[in-house]
Amino acid sequence: MSMRTTDLGDETVDSIIKRLRRIEGQVRGLQKMVGEGRPCDEVLTQMTATKKAMESAANLILKEFLTLCATDVAEGDPASPEEIASVLRKFV
């Protein structure tokens, strides 16, 4: 079972895309901050917010992956433990 983003519901995909667009704006803001010579603590604060936003988007994808794995198990078609472990290693 190799889950693709096309396996996610439309609402989930829309949510992920909105988050990624927001993150894209945050990164552009970071570039501008660095170019303007803003204080390091302000830049690092914004970087932390951007990192947390990325983690939030990743959490949503992981949750959906595990939900689909559980659904497949219930339907008698479980994902291999190696595949699940591989996805978790990428996340951690």
Side-chain angles (χ1 to χ4, degrees):
M1 171 200 176
S2 181
M3 188 184 96
R4 304 174 68 78
T5 53
T6 53
D7 296 330
L8 304 173
D10 290 342
E11 190 175 309
T12 300
V13 170
D14 289 344
S15 177
I16 292 166
I17 289 172
K18 285 178 187 175
R19 290 169 191 246
L20 292 173
R21 287 185 178 141
R22 194 174 315 120
I23 292 163
E24 181 181 24
Q26 288 176 304
V27 171
R28 278 195 303 271
L30 277 164
Q31 292 169 347
K32 184 177 177 184
M33 290 174 76
V34 171
E36 293 172 347
R38 301 281 291 272
C40 291
D41 64 323
E42 289 181 18
V43 174
L44 290 171
T45 297
Q46 186 61 34
M47 283 184 164
T48 300
T50 303
K51 179 181 172 185
K52 292 204 181 289
M54 285 292 291
E55 289 171 355
S56 176
N59 278 329
L60 181 56
I61 292 173
L62 181 61
K63 175 183 160 267
E64 291 299 317
F65 171 77
L66 293 174
T67 299
L68 287 172
C69 284
T71 300
D72 286 349
V73 167
E75 293 173 355
D77 183 24
S80 73
E82 293 82 15
E83 180 181 5
I84 294 170
S86 173
V87 170
L88 292 175
R89 272 192 303 275
K90 290 174 187 175
F91 182 73
V92 176

